[in-house]
Amino acid sequence: MSNQATLSLRKDWDGGVSPFGVSYGKLFMWFFLVSDALTFSSLLCAYGFMRHKFAGDWAVPNKVFTHFPFVEGSHPLAYVGFMTFDLIMSSVTMVLAVEAGHRLNRKQVSVWLLLTIIGGLIFVGSQCWEWYHFIVGEESVQGYRDYLMNGKHIINPHFQGANLIVNAYTQLPTFGDFFFCITGFHGFHVFSGVIINIVMLIMVLNGVMDRRGHYEMIEKAGLYWHFVDLVWVFVFTFFYLL
Amino acid sequence: MDFFEEYKGYPNYEKAAIHDEAHGKPVRKKLWMVFWIMLIITIGELIIGSQFNFTEINKEYTFIFLTLVKAFFIVWVFMHLGDERRAMKYAIIAPYTLFIFYLAFMAITEGVYSKVIRDALVTVVLHQ
């Protein structure tokens, strides 16, 4: 390597005080996200292992997730499509909040952040609704209470819905286990993302960012929020589409 | 207030991305365009998922490809990794990709192999 190339490479890695010329907080947010992404990836790889091991016996998502709120009948993938749209939309509002932060526009930042929080809450609520219908199945709530009280679900051949031990869609309990584990883990990330965004909104409204002279905190919260969206893109594909 | 503000000559990394209204316009235009692309991809995925009868293997590869396209747009545009330095891109992407492609390859190969063994065992048990 020539001396010139070594110099430019070194300049690329070296940031003066902080590596790569990004601030300490943002760099470590990235490293945290990489480690979190590794956790999610290993969960999804374990899912892929089970899926291939029990290929053929696995539940068909088109026949499991067919409910839509306030609408009777079977609508495969419609609601989860709505949830995906909602999360992508909230990702866009978040990135617009970051962009408004780059212009030091406090009013626009708070409006976009508020919209992001609303989108996140809609997503968490949708996931609650979906879990409820996945757990209860076609049964009435009373029927499900009977299962819980009497423990009939293990011997009942007409069992509807799903839990960690048994589910109506396939012989394999692993299907329910992985669904609850991975979507639950993701849902918890969305929930904590909403909390972080609410804290950010309060800080913006109190003028903390203006006193600092920059809105980089919004950018860091935004990184986390986009990561949540990124994970959902993969969960959506591997759980609902394939 | 801040520790680093005391430090003379500290480059203000936090303020590096600040721009005015005129520079914000093309940025926002790009963001909305990425949103429309992702929306179209998602709707396409849903239509493929619920309507078309691809052969199973084609469907899998189509979905995984479209997912990776979406992931690229999120990381590169929404998370602004595309605007960072080359070295930072490598530091974030390279270790992750390396480990995960390897892990996915191992998990899926092992899963397929387990199915072969399992089917063979089931056949043996049934014939006895």
Side-chain angles (χ1 to χ4, degrees), chain B residues 46-125:
Chain B
L46 284 170
I47 291 172
I48 294 171
S50 56
Q51 307 292 327
F52 284 93
N53 280 323
F54 279 80
T55 55
E56 202 52 47
I57 199 85
N58 271 339
K59 213 170 166 178
E60 264 181 40
Y61 282 124
T62 315
F63 281 143
I64 290 172
F65 173 71
L66 288 176
T67 305
L68 289 176
V69 170
K70 279 204 281 185
F72 168 79
F73 276 121
I74 292 176
V75 173
W76 230 247
V77 181
F78 285 177
M79 294 167 94
H80 298 296
L81 190 62
D83 304 337
E84 305 289 355
R85 288 195 200 172
R86 206 159 50 118
M88 176 148 167
K89 290 176 195 165
Y90 287 147
I92 302 292
I93 297 292
Y96 181 78
T97 334
L98 210 66
F99 284 122
I100 289 311
F101 277 126
Y102 182 45
L103 182 62
F105 167 74
M106 282 200 301
I108 286 166
T109 313
E110 198 63 20
V112 171
Y113 175 72
S114 306
K115 181 173 165 54
V116 173
I117 296 297
R118 187 169 151 267
D119 289 351
L121 280 176
V122 168
T123 321
V124 167
V125 170

Coordinates of all heavy atoms in Angstrom, one line a residue, chain B residues 46-125:
Chain B
L46 N -47.4 -8.7 0.4 CA -48.7 -9.2 0.8 C -49.4 -9.8 -0.3 O -50.1 -10.9 -0.1 CB -49.5 -8.1 1.4 CG -49.0 -7.6 2.8 CD1 -49.7 -6.3 3.2 CD2 -49.3 -8.7 3.8
I47 N -49.4 -9.2 -1.5 CA -50.1 -9.8 -2.6 C -49.5 -11.1 -3.0 O -50.2 -12.1 -3.2 CB -50.1 -8.8 -3.8 CG1 -50.9 -7.6 -3.5 CG2 -50.6 -9.5 -5.1 CD1 -50.8 -6.5 -4.5
I48 N -48.2 -11.2 -3.1 CA -47.5 -12.5 -3.4 C -47.9 -13.5 -2.3 O -48.3 -14.7 -2.6 CB -46.0 -12.3 -3.4 CG1 -45.6 -11.4 -4.6 CG2 -45.3 -13.7 -3.6 CD1 -44.1 -11.0 -4.6
G49 N -47.9 -13.1 -1.1 CA -48.2 -14.0 0.0 C -49.6 -14.6 0.0 O -49.8 -15.8 0.4
S50 N -50.6 -13.8 -0.4 CA -51.9 -14.3 -0.2 C -52.5 -14.7 -1.6 O -53.5 -15.4 -1.6 CB -52.8 -13.2 0.4 OG -52.7 -12.0 -0.3
Q51 N -52.0 -14.3 -2.7 CA -52.6 -14.6 -4.0 C -51.9 -15.6 -4.8 O -52.4 -16.6 -5.2 CB -52.8 -13.3 -4.8 CG -53.5 -12.2 -4.0 CD -55.0 -12.5 -3.8 OE1 -55.6 -13.1 -4.5 NE2 -55.5 -12.0 -2.6
F52 N -50.6 -15.3 -5.1 CA -50.0 -16.0 -6.2 C -49.5 -17.4 -5.7 O -49.3 -17.7 -4.6 CB -48.7 -15.3 -6.7 CG -49.1 -14.1 -7.5 CD1 -49.2 -12.8 -7.0 CD2 -49.3 -14.3 -8.9 CE1 -49.5 -11.8 -7.7 CE2 -49.6 -13.2 -9.7 CZ -49.7 -11.9 -9.1
N53 N -49.5 -18.3 -6.7 CA -49.0 -19.7 -6.4 C -47.7 -19.9 -7.1 O -47.5 -20.5 -8.1 CB -50.0 -20.7 -7.0 CG -51.2 -20.8 -6.0 OD1 -51.0 -20.8 -4.8 ND2 -52.3 -21.0 -6.5
F54 N -46.6 -19.3 -6.4 CA -45.3 -19.6 -6.8 C -45.0 -21.0 -6.4 O -45.6 -21.5 -5.5 CB -44.3 -18.6 -6.1 CG -44.2 -17.3 -6.8 CD1 -45.1 -16.3 -6.5 CD2 -43.1 -17.0 -7.6 CE1 -45.0 -15.1 -7.1 CE2 -42.9 -15.7 -8.1 CZ -43.9 -14.8 -7.9
T55 N -43.9 -21.5 -7.0 CA -43.4 -22.7 -6.3 C -42.8 -22.3 -5.0 O -42.3 -21.2 -4.9 CB -42.4 -23.4 -7.2 OG1 -41.4 -22.5 -7.5 CG2 -43.0 -24.0 -8.5
E56 N -42.8 -23.2 -4.0 CA -42.4 -22.8 -2.7 C -41.0 -22.2 -2.6 O -40.8 -21.2 -1.9 CB -42.5 -24.0 -1.8 CG -42.6 -23.7 -0.3 CD -43.8 -22.8 0.0 OE1 -44.9 -23.0 -0.6 OE2 -43.6 -21.8 0.7
I57 N -40.0 -22.7 -3.4 CA -38.7 -22.3 -3.2 C -38.5 -20.9 -3.8 O -37.8 -20.0 -3.3 CB -37.7 -23.3 -3.9 CG1 -36.3 -23.1 -3.4 CG2 -37.8 -23.3 -5.4 CD1 -36.0 -23.8 -2.1
N58 N -39.2 -20.6 -5.0 CA -39.2 -19.3 -5.6 C -39.8 -18.2 -4.6 O -39.2 -17.1 -4.5 CB -40.0 -19.3 -6.8 CG -39.2 -19.6 -8.0 OD1 -38.0 -19.5 -8.0 ND2 -39.8 -20.1 -9.1
K59 N -40.8 -18.6 -3.9 CA -41.5 -17.7 -3.0 C -40.5 -17.3 -1.9 O -40.4 -16.1 -1.6 CB -42.7 -18.4 -2.5 CG -43.9 -17.5 -2.2 CD -45.1 -18.4 -1.8 CE -46.2 -17.6 -1.2 NZ -47.4 -18.5 -1.0
E60 N -39.9 -18.3 -1.3 CA -38.9 -18.1 -0.2 C -37.9 -17.1 -0.7 O -37.6 -16.1 0.0 CB -38.3 -19.4 0.2 CG -38.9 -20.0 1.4 CD -38.2 -21.3 1.8 OE1 -37.0 -21.3 1.8 OE2 -38.9 -22.2 2.1
Y61 N -37.2 -17.3 -1.8 CA -36.2 -16.5 -2.2 C -36.7 -15.1 -2.5 O -36.0 -14.1 -2.2 CB -35.4 -17.1 -3.4 CG -34.5 -18.2 -3.0 CD1 -34.6 -19.4 -3.6 CD2 -33.5 -17.9 -2.1 CE1 -33.7 -20.5 -3.2 CE2 -32.7 -18.9 -1.7 CZ -32.8 -20.2 -2.2 OH -31.9 -21.2 -1.8
T62 N -37.9 -15.0 -3.1 CA -38.4 -13.6 -3.4 C -38.6 -12.8 -2.1 O -38.2 -11.7 -2.0 CB -39.8 -13.8 -4.1 OG1 -39.7 -14.7 -5.1 CG2 -40.2 -12.5 -4.7
F63 N -39.2 -13.5 -1.1 CA -39.4 -12.8 0.1 C -38.2 -12.4 0.8 O -38.1 -11.3 1.3 CB -40.3 -13.7 1.1 CG -41.7 -13.7 0.7 CD1 -42.4 -14.9 0.9 CD2 -42.4 -12.6 0.3 CE1 -43.8 -14.9 0.6 CE2 -43.7 -12.6 0.0 CZ -44.4 -13.8 0.1
I64 N -37.2 -13.3 0.8 CA -35.9 -12.9 1.5 C -35.2 -11.8 0.8 O -34.7 -10.9 1.4 CB -35.1 -14.2 1.7 CG1 -35.7 -15.1 2.7 CG2 -33.7 -13.8 2.2 CD1 -35.1 -16.5 2.8
F65 N -35.3 -11.8 -0.5 CA -34.6 -10.8 -1.3 C -35.3 -9.4 -1.0 O -34.6 -8.4 -0.7 CB -34.7 -11.1 -2.8 CG -34.2 -9.9 -3.7 CD1 -32.9 -9.6 -3.7 CD2 -35.1 -9.2 -4.4 CE1 -32.4 -8.6 -4.5 CE2 -34.7 -8.1 -5.2 CZ -33.3 -7.8 -5.2
L66 N -36.7 -9.4 -1.0 CA -37.4 -8.1 -0.8 C -37.1 -7.6 0.6 O -37.0 -6.4 0.9 CB -38.9 -8.3 -1.0 CG -39.3 -8.5 -2.5 CD1 -40.8 -8.8 -2.6 CD2 -38.9 -7.3 -3.3
T67 N -37.1 -8.6 1.6 CA -36.8 -8.2 3.0 C -35.4 -7.5 3.1 O -35.3 -6.5 3.8 CB -36.8 -9.4 3.9 OG1 -38.0 -10.1 3.7 CG2 -36.6 -9.1 5.3
L68 N -34.4 -8.1 2.4 CA -33.1 -7.5 2.4 C -33.1 -6.1 1.8 O -32.4 -5.2 2.3 CB -32.1 -8.4 1.8 CG -31.8 -9.7 2.6 CD1 -30.8 -10.6 1.8 CD2 -31.2 -9.4 3.9
V69 N -33.9 -6.0 0.7 CA -33.9 -4.6 0.1 C -34.5 -3.6 1.1 O -33.9 -2.5 1.3 CB -34.8 -4.7 -1.2 CG1 -35.1 -3.3 -1.7 CG2 -34.1 -5.5 -2.2
K70 N -35.6 -4.0 1.8 CA -36.2 -3.1 2.8 C -35.2 -2.8 3.9 O -35.1 -1.7 4.4 CB -37.4 -3.7 3.4 CG -38.6 -3.5 2.5 CD -39.9 -3.6 3.3 CE -40.3 -5.0 3.6 NZ -41.6 -5.1 4.2
A71 N -34.5 -3.9 4.4 CA -33.5 -3.7 5.5 C -32.4 -2.7 5.1 O -32.0 -1.8 5.8 CB -32.9 -5.0 5.9
F72 N -32.0 -2.8 3.8 CA -31.0 -1.9 3.3 C -31.5 -0.5 3.3 O -30.7 0.4 3.8 CB -30.6 -2.3 1.8 CG -29.8 -1.2 1.2 CD1 -28.4 -1.1 1.4 CD2 -30.4 -0.3 0.3 CE1 -27.7 -0.2 0.8 CE2 -29.6 0.6 -0.3 CZ -28.3 0.7 -0.1
F73 N -32.7 -0.2 2.9 CA -33.2 1.1 2.9 C -33.3 1.7 4.3 O -33.0 2.9 4.6 CB -34.6 1.2 2.2 CG -34.4 1.3 0.7 CD1 -35.0 0.4 -0.1 CD2 -33.8 2.4 0.1 CE1 -34.9 0.5 -1.5 CE2 -33.6 2.5 -1.2 CZ -34.2 1.5 -2.0
I74 N -33.8 0.9 5.3 CA -33.9 1.3 6.6 C -32.5 1.7 7.2 O -32.3 2.8 7.7 CB -34.6 0.3 7.5 CG1 -36.0 0.1 7.1 CG2 -34.5 0.7 9.0 CD1 -36.7 -1.0 7.9
V75 N -31.6 0.8 7.0 CA -30.3 1.1 7.6 C -29.5 2.2 6.9 O -29.0 3.1 7.6 CB -29.4 -0.2 7.6 CG1 -28.0 0.1 8.1 CG2 -30.0 -1.3 8.5
W76 N -29.6 2.2 5.6 CA -28.8 3.2 4.8 C -29.4 4.6 4.9 O -28.7 5.6 5.0 CB -28.6 2.7 3.4 CG -27.2 2.7 3.0 CD1 -26.7 3.5 2.0 CD2 -26.1 1.9 3.5 NE1 -25.3 3.3 1.9 CE2 -25.0 2.3 2.8 CE3 -26.1 0.9 4.4 CZ2 -23.8 1.7 3.0 CZ3 -24.8 0.3 4.7 CH2 -23.7 0.7 4.0
V77 N -30.7 4.7 4.7 CA -31.3 6.0 4.6 C -31.9 6.5 5.9 O -31.6 7.6 6.4 CB -32.4 6.0 3.5 CG1 -33.0 7.4 3.4 CG2 -31.8 5.6 2.2
F78 N -32.8 5.6 6.6 CA -33.4 6.1 7.8 C -32.5 6.2 8.9 O -32.5 7.1 9.8 CB -34.6 5.1 8.2 CG -35.8 5.3 7.3 CD1 -36.9 4.4 7.5 CD2 -35.9 6.3 6.3 CE1 -38.0 4.6 6.7 CE2 -37.0 6.4 5.5 CZ -38.0 5.5 5.7
M79 N -31.5 5.2 9.0 CA -30.6 5.3 10.1 C -29.3 6.1 9.8 O -28.4 6.2 10.6 CB -30.2 3.9 10.6 CG -31.4 3.1 11.2 SD -31.1 1.4 11.5 CE -30.5 1.4 13.1
H80 N -29.3 6.6 8.6 CA -28.2 7.5 8.1 C -26.8 6.8 8.1 O -25.8 7.5 8.2 CB -28.1 8.8 8.9 CG -29.3 9.6 8.9 ND1 -29.8 10.2 7.7 CD2 -30.2 9.9 9.8 CE1 -30.9 10.9 8.0 NE2 -31.2 10.7 9.3
L81 N -26.8 5.5 8.0 CA -25.5 4.9 7.9 C -24.8 5.2 6.6 O -23.6 5.3 6.5 CB -25.6 3.3 8.1 CG -24.3 2.6 8.3 CD1 -23.6 3.1 9.6 CD2 -24.5 1.1 8.4
G82 N -25.6 5.4 5.6 CA -25.0 5.8 4.3 C -24.3 7.1 4.3 O -23.4 7.3 3.4
D83 N -24.6 8.0 5.3 CA -23.9 9.3 5.3 C -22.7 9.2 6.2 O -21.9 10.2 6.3 CB -24.9 10.3 5.9 CG -26.2 10.4 5.1 OD1 -26.1 10.0 3.9 OD2 -27.2 10.9 5.7
E84 N -22.5 8.1 6.9 CA -21.3 8.0 7.8 C -20.0 7.7 6.9 O -20.1 7.5 5.7 CB -21.5 6.9 8.8 CG -22.7 7.1 9.7 CD -22.7 8.3 10.6 OE1 -21.6 8.9 10.7 OE2 -23.7 8.5 11.3
R85 N -18.9 7.7 7.6 CA -17.7 7.4 6.9 C -17.6 5.9 6.6 O -18.3 5.1 7.2 CB -16.5 7.7 7.8 CG -16.3 9.2 8.0 CD -14.9 9.4 8.6 NE -14.8 10.7 9.2 CZ -13.8 11.1 9.9 NH1 -12.8 10.2 10.1 NH2 -13.7 12.3 10.4
R86 N -16.8 5.6 5.6 CA -16.6 4.2 5.1 C -16.2 3.3 6.2 O -16.7 2.2 6.4 CB -15.6 4.2 4.0 CG -15.8 3.0 3.0 CD -15.1 3.4 1.7 NE -13.8 3.8 2.0 CZ -12.7 3.2 1.6 NH1 -12.8 2.1 0.8 NH2 -11.5 3.6 1.9
A87 N -15.3 3.8 7.1 CA -14.8 2.9 8.1 C -15.9 2.6 9.1 O -15.9 1.4 9.6 CB -13.7 3.7 8.9
M88 N -16.8 3.5 9.4 CA -17.8 3.2 10.3 C -18.8 2.2 9.7 O -19.3 1.3 10.4 CB -18.6 4.5 10.7 CG -19.7 4.2 11.6 SD -20.1 5.4 12.7 CE -21.7 4.9 13.3
K89 N -19.1 2.3 8.4 CA -19.9 1.4 7.7 C -19.4 0.0 7.9 O -20.1 -1.0 8.3 CB -20.1 1.7 6.3 CG -20.8 2.9 5.9 CD -20.8 3.2 4.5 CE -21.2 4.6 4.2 NZ -20.9 5.0 2.8
Y90 N -18.1 -0.2 7.7 CA -17.4 -1.5 7.8 C -17.6 -2.0 9.3 O -17.9 -3.1 9.5 CB -16.0 -1.4 7.4 CG -15.8 -1.3 5.9 CD1 -14.7 -0.6 5.4 CD2 -16.6 -1.9 5.0 CE1 -14.5 -0.5 4.0 CE2 -16.4 -1.9 3.7 CZ -15.4 -1.2 3.2 OH -15.2 -1.1 1.8
A91 N -17.3 -1.1 10.2 CA -17.3 -1.5 11.6 C -18.6 -2.0 12.1 O -18.7 -2.9 12.9 CB -16.8 -0.3 12.5
I92 N -19.7 -1.4 11.5 CA -21.0 -1.9 11.9 C -21.5 -3.1 11.1 O -21.9 -4.1 11.7 CB -22.1 -0.7 11.7 CG1 -21.7 0.5 12.4 CG2 -23.5 -1.2 12.0 CD1 -21.8 0.4 13.9
I93 N -21.3 -3.0 9.8 CA -21.9 -4.0 8.9 C -21.1 -5.3 8.8 O -21.6 -6.4 8.9 CB -22.1 -3.4 7.5 CG1 -23.1 -2.3 7.6 CG2 -22.6 -4.5 6.5 CD1 -24.5 -2.7 7.9
A94 N -19.8 -5.2 8.7 CA -18.9 -6.3 8.4 C -19.0 -7.4 9.5 O -19.3 -8.6 9.1 CB -17.5 -5.9 8.2
P95 N -18.8 -7.1 10.8 CA -18.8 -8.2 11.7 C -20.2 -8.9 11.8 O -20.4 -10.1 11.8 CB -18.5 -7.6 13.1 CG -18.3 -6.2 12.8 CD -18.5 -5.9 11.4
Y96 N -21.2 -8.0 11.7 CA -22.6 -8.5 11.8 C -22.9 -9.5 10.7 O -23.3 -10.6 10.9 CB -23.6 -7.4 11.8 CG -25.0 -7.8 11.9 CD1 -25.5 -8.2 13.1 CD2 -25.8 -8.0 10.7 CE1 -26.8 -8.7 13.2 CE2 -27.1 -8.5 10.8 CZ -27.6 -8.8 12.1 OH -28.8 -9.3 12.2
T97 N -22.7 -9.0 9.4 CA -23.0 -9.9 8.3 C -22.2 -11.2 8.3 O -22.8 -12.3 8.0 CB -22.6 -9.1 7.0 OG1 -22.6 -7.7 7.2 CG2 -23.5 -9.5 5.8
L98 N -20.9 -11.1 8.6 CA -20.1 -12.2 8.7 C -20.7 -13.3 9.6 O -20.9 -14.5 9.2 CB -18.7 -11.8 9.2 CG -17.5 -12.6 8.7 CD1 -17.3 -12.3 7.3 CD2 -16.3 -12.1 9.5
F99 N -21.0 -12.9 10.9 CA -21.4 -13.9 11.8 C -22.8 -14.4 11.5 O -23.1 -15.6 11.6 CB -21.5 -13.3 13.2 CG -20.1 -13.2 13.8 CD1 -19.6 -11.9 14.2 CD2 -19.3 -14.3 14.0 CE1 -18.3 -11.8 14.8 CE2 -18.0 -14.2 14.5 CZ -17.6 -13.0 14.9
I100 N -23.7 -13.5 11.0 CA -25.1 -14.0 10.8 C -25.3 -14.8 9.6 O -26.0 -15.8 9.7 CB -26.0 -12.8 10.8 CG1 -26.1 -12.2 12.2 CG2 -27.4 -13.1 10.4 CD1 -26.3 -13.2 13.3
F101 N -24.6 -14.5 8.5 CA -24.7 -15.4 7.4 C -24.2 -16.8 7.7 O -24.7 -17.8 7.4 CB -24.0 -14.9 6.2 CG -24.8 -13.9 5.4 CD1 -24.4 -12.6 5.1 CD2 -26.1 -14.2 5.0 CE1 -25.1 -11.7 4.5 CE2 -26.9 -13.3 4.3 CZ -26.4 -12.1 4.0
Y102 N -23.1 -16.8 8.5 CA -22.5 -18.1 8.9 C -23.5 -18.9 9.8 O -23.7 -20.1 9.7 CB -21.2 -17.8 9.7 CG -20.5 -19.0 10.1 CD1 -20.3 -20.1 9.3 CD2 -19.9 -19.1 11.4 CE1 -19.6 -21.3 9.7 CE2 -19.3 -20.2 11.8 CZ -19.1 -21.3 11.0 OH -18.5 -22.4 11.4
L103 N -24.1 -18.1 10.8 CA -25.0 -18.8 11.8 C -26.2 -19.3 11.0 O -26.7 -20.4 11.3 CB -25.4 -17.8 12.8 CG -26.3 -18.3 13.9 CD1 -25.7 -19.4 14.7 CD2 -26.8 -17.2 14.9
A104 N -26.8 -18.5 10.1 CA -28.0 -18.9 9.4 C -27.7 -20.1 8.5 O -28.4 -21.1 8.5 CB -28.5 -17.7 8.5
F105 N -26.5 -20.1 7.9 CA -26.1 -21.2 7.1 C -26.0 -22.5 7.9 O -26.6 -23.6 7.6 CB -24.8 -21.0 6.4 CG -24.1 -22.2 5.8 CD1 -24.6 -22.7 4.6 CD2 -23.0 -22.8 6.5 CE1 -24.0 -23.8 4.1 CE2 -22.4 -23.9 5.9 CZ -22.9 -24.4 4.7
M106 N -25.4 -22.4 9.1 CA -25.2 -23.6 10.0 C -26.6 -24.0 10.5 O -26.9 -25.2 10.4 CB -24.4 -23.2 11.2 CG -22.9 -23.2 10.9 SD -22.0 -23.3 12.4 CE -22.5 -21.9 13.3
A107 N -27.4 -23.1 10.9 CA -28.7 -23.5 11.5 C -29.6 -24.2 10.4 O -30.2 -25.2 10.7 CB -29.5 -22.2 12.0
I108 N -29.6 -23.7 9.2 CA -30.5 -24.3 8.2 C -29.9 -25.6 7.7 O -30.7 -26.5 7.5 CB -30.7 -23.2 7.1 CG1 -31.7 -22.2 7.7 CG2 -31.3 -23.9 5.9 CD1 -31.8 -20.9 6.9
T109 N -28.6 -25.7 7.5 CA -28.1 -26.9 7.1 C -28.4 -28.0 8.1 O -28.8 -29.1 7.8 CB -26.5 -26.8 6.9 OG1 -26.3 -25.6 6.2 CG2 -25.9 -28.0 6.3
E110 N -28.1 -27.6 9.4 CA -28.4 -28.6 10.5 C -29.8 -29.0 10.6 O -30.2 -30.1 10.9 CB -27.9 -28.0 11.8 CG -27.6 -28.9 12.9 CD -26.6 -29.9 12.7 OE1 -25.7 -29.7 11.8 OE2 -26.5 -30.9 13.3
G111 N -30.7 -28.0 10.3 CA -32.2 -28.3 10.4 C -32.6 -29.3 9.3 O -33.3 -30.2 9.6
V112 N -32.1 -29.1 8.1 CA -32.4 -30.0 7.0 C -31.9 -31.4 7.3 O -32.6 -32.4 7.1 CB -31.8 -29.4 5.7 CG1 -31.9 -30.5 4.6 CG2 -32.5 -28.1 5.3
Y113 N -30.6 -31.4 7.8 CA -30.1 -32.7 8.2 C -30.9 -33.4 9.3 O -31.2 -34.6 9.2 CB -28.6 -32.5 8.7 CG -27.9 -33.7 9.2 CD1 -27.6 -34.7 8.3 CD2 -27.7 -33.9 10.5 CE1 -26.9 -35.9 8.8 CE2 -27.1 -35.0 11.0 CZ -26.7 -36.0 10.1 OH -26.1 -37.1 10.6
S114 N -31.3 -32.6 10.3 CA -32.1 -33.2 11.4 C -33.4 -33.8 10.8 O -33.9 -34.8 11.3 CB -32.5 -32.2 12.4 OG -31.4 -31.5 12.9
K115 N -34.0 -33.2 9.8 CA -35.2 -33.7 9.2 C -35.0 -35.0 8.6 O -35.8 -35.9 8.7 CB -35.8 -32.7 8.2 CG -37.1 -33.2 7.6 CD -37.7 -32.1 6.8 CE -38.8 -32.8 5.9 NZ -39.8 -33.5 6.6
V116 N -33.8 -35.1 7.9 CA -33.5 -36.4 7.2 C -33.4 -37.5 8.2 O -34.0 -38.6 8.1 CB -32.2 -36.2 6.4 CG1 -31.7 -37.6 5.9 CG2 -32.4 -35.2 5.3
I117 N -32.7 -37.2 9.3 CA -32.5 -38.2 10.4 C -33.8 -38.6 11.0 O -34.1 -39.8 11.3 CB -31.5 -37.7 11.5 CG1 -30.1 -37.4 10.9 CG2 -31.4 -38.6 12.6 CD1 -29.4 -38.7 10.4
R118 N -34.6 -37.5 11.3 CA -35.9 -37.8 11.9 C -36.8 -38.6 11.1 O -37.4 -39.6 11.6 CB -36.5 -36.4 12.2 CG -37.8 -36.4 13.0 CD -38.2 -35.0 13.4 NE -39.6 -34.9 13.6 CZ -40.5 -34.6 12.6 NH1 -40.0 -34.2 11.4 NH2 -41.7 -34.5 12.9
D119 N -36.9 -38.3 9.8 CA -37.7 -39.1 8.9 C -37.2 -40.5 8.8 O -38.0 -41.5 8.9 CB -37.7 -38.5 7.5 CG -38.5 -37.2 7.5 OD1 -39.2 -36.9 8.5 OD2 -38.4 -36.5 6.5
A120 N -35.9 -40.7 8.8 CA -35.4 -42.1 8.8 C -35.7 -42.8 10.0 O -36.2 -44.0 9.9 CB -33.9 -42.0 8.6
L121 N -35.6 -42.2 11.2 CA -36.0 -42.8 12.4 C -37.4 -43.2 12.5 O -37.8 -44.3 12.9 CB -35.6 -41.9 13.6 CG -34.2 -41.9 14.0 CD1 -34.0 -40.9 15.1 CD2 -33.7 -43.3 14.5
V122 N -38.3 -42.3 12.1 CA -39.7 -42.6 12.1 C -40.0 -43.8 11.2 O -40.8 -44.7 11.6 CB -40.5 -41.3 11.6 CG1 -41.9 -41.7 11.3 CG2 -40.4 -40.2 12.6
T123 N -39.4 -43.8 10.0 CA -39.6 -45.0 9.1 C -39.2 -46.3 9.8 O -39.9 -47.3 9.7 CB -38.8 -44.8 7.8 OG1 -38.8 -43.4 7.5 CG2 -39.3 -45.6 6.7
V124 N -38.0 -46.3 10.4 CA -37.5 -47.5 11.1 C -38.5 -47.9 12.2 O -38.8 -49.1 12.2 CB -36.1 -47.2 11.7 CG1 -35.7 -48.3 12.6 CG2 -35.1 -47.1 10.6
V125 N -38.9 -47.0 13.0 CA -39.9 -47.3 14.1 C -41.2 -47.9 13.5 O -41.7 -48.9 14.0 CB -40.1 -46.1 15.0 CG1 -41.2 -46.3 15.9 CG2 -38.9 -45.7 15.7

